[in-house]
Amino acid sequence: REKKFSSNLKLAEFQVAPVRFGEKFFNEIKESKYIYLALGTIVTRFEGNEGKINKIELFNNGFFFIKGKIFVLATGGIENSRLLLWSKKKSNNLFDKNLPIGNFWFTHPFHEVGNAITSVKKIKSLLQNDLNYFENIFGWGPNTISYNISPTKKFMDEMNILNSCCFLTIHFRPNKRLKDIVKNLLCIAPNFSKNLINKFNKKLFCGTSISSSWEQNSEFENKIVLSNNFDKIGMPTIKIYYKKSEKVRKTARIMVEEIGKFYLKHNVGRVAAEEFLYNNEDYK
C-alpha cells in the first residue's frame, strides 16, 4: 500500500509473511499424491529443441532425467541465467542464438545514503498513517522505527530518476552523552543547532539513518557469462559484469535532497547526504 505525503514523495508499505513454507507445508507436500518432492537434488540443464523443453537433467549421486510438459524455472537472478546459458551451450538448437540470456542483469543497489537530526514528534505527526512500519530494520536495533519513502511517478518523470525506497530510520537513544550529540548536530547543521541545543534534555531530537534500495537502469553490458572454471559436478561457474551508471547515483542523490527539502519546509530537522553522492568515486 502507498500514501502520498508531499507532491513528490509517498510512504510505501512492505509486508513480510511470517509463514515458513518448508515448515508449515512439509508434511502436506510429503503426503500429497500429486507432488513428488526431491530434496538435495540439483538441476543441471534443460534438454529440447527449437525453443521447446521436454526434459531436465538433475544430479543426486549421479545424473538422471525427468520428462515433463511444463517446467517452472525459479532459481534466482544469477542461477537462472547460468542454467539457461549452460543449456544453450549443450543444446545448440534449443534457444535462438540471438536471445540475450544473461544480458541486462539487474540488481537492487543498496547503500546508506545519509544521516539526519529529526524531531520525533514532528515526523510522527507529518507521516502519521495506518501503514505498517518496520522495527529493527536491517538490524539497526530494537529501539528504532523506519518509514519507507518512495518518489511519486510524476517526480520520477520530472527528474529523470529511477524508482527507489529510502528507509528513514529513527534511533531512539537516551540523550545522556550530550557533548557527543551536540558535536554531531554541529557537524550536520551548525546554524540550526544553536536554536535546538536546549531541547535535548526534553528528548525531542533523535539520530536518523537514511538507507536506500533503488532501481538500476537497463544496461546490455551488465551481464552474467559462463566462466572457464567448473564446480564439483561439472557445471561452469559464472562471472558477473556489473557497472553502476550515473543515473543510479543521481537517483539516490535526488531522493536524499528531496527528503532534506521536506525537513526544511516543515522544520523537522536537518539532513546530511553521504559524500559519494556528489563525487565521482566508486562506492560499494
Side-chain angles (χ1 to χ4, degrees), residues 32-166:
S32 173
K33 63 180 181 179
Y34 301 108
I35 300 172
Y36 180 82
L37 176 65
L39 299 175
T41 303
I42 302 168
V43 177
T44 54
R45 63 187 174 93
F46 297 97
E47 277 204 4
N49 57 71
E50 296 183 354
K52 186 175 182 180
I53 294 166
N54 50 44
K55 60 182 178 180
I56 55 174
E57 182 187 66
L58 302 98
F59 179 85
N60 189 331
N61 297 321
F63 292 94
F64 60 98
F65 287 94
I66 290 180
K67 294 182 179 180
K69 294 181 179 180
I70 298 173
F71 298 94
V72 177
L73 176 61
T75 58
I78 294 175
E79 199 67 11
N80 276 3
S81 291
R82 180 166 85 132
L83 281 167
L84 293 174
L85 287 167
W86 184 230
S87 300
K88 181 180 179 182
K89 190 170 184 178
K90 298 291 282 186
S91 302
N92 291 328
N93 64 339
L94 178 56
F95 299 114
D96 186 327
K97 291 182 179 180
N98 296 319
L99 193 66
I101 300 172
N103 294 94
F104 301 104
W105 185 70
F106 282 84
T107 185
H108 277 294
F110 179 86
H111 213 287
E112 188 171 350
V113 292
N115 292 281
I117 298 294
T118 304
S119 168
V120 179
K121 184 177 180 179
K122 283 190 175 181
I123 203 71
K124 281 187 172 182
S125 174
L126 291 165
L127 302 185
Q128 185 177 14
N129 63 88
D130 60 350
L131 277 59
N132 292 332
Y133 57 82
F134 281 125
E135 296 181 8
N136 191 27
I137 192 171
F138 310 125
W140 281 121
N143 296 318
T144 61
I145 62 169
S146 294
Y147 297 96
N148 311 312
I149 299 173
S150 294
T152 62
K153 179 65 167 58
K154 177 174 172 289
F155 189 53
M156 285 188 281
D157 293 339
E158 288 177 352
M159 303 304 294
N160 189 28
I161 60 173
L162 304 162
N163 202 357
S164 67
C165 187
C166 284

Side-chain angles (χ1 to χ4, degrees), residues 160-214:
N160 189 28
I161 60 173
L162 304 162
N163 202 357
S164 67
C165 187
C166 284
F167 304 96
L168 193 73
T169 302
I170 313 296
H171 303 263
F172 294 97
R173 292 187 289 252
N175 294 327
K176 295 177 181 178
R177 300 172 62 188
L178 185 58
K179 289 183 179 180
D180 290 337
I181 294 171
V182 172
K183 286 178 182 178
N184 290 336
L185 183 56
L186 287 169
C187 289
I188 294 174
N191 294 327
F192 180 71
S193 65
K194 292 177 183 178
N195 298 322
L196 301 176
I197 290 174
N198 65 339
K199 296 184 180 180
F200 276 113
N201 289 328
K202 299 178 183 178
K203 299 183 179 180
L204 289 177
F205 285 82
C206 289
T208 302
S209 300
I210 306 172
S211 47
S212 184
S213 177
W214 63 105

Side-chain angles (χ1 to χ4, degrees), residues 213-245:
S213 177
W214 63 105
E215 283 185 346
Q216 167 199 327
N217 50 313
S218 179
E219 297 280 354
F220 182 83
E221 290 302 322
N222 284 337
K223 59 186 177 180
I224 291 172
V225 300
L226 299 177
S227 76
N228 294 322
N229 300 318
F230 293 82
D231 62 19
K232 292 180 180 180
I233 62 171
M235 287 187 67
T237 58
I238 57 97
K239 290 182 180 179
I240 298 178
Y241 292 87
Y242 174 47
K243 183 178 180 180
K244 298 180 287 292
S245 74

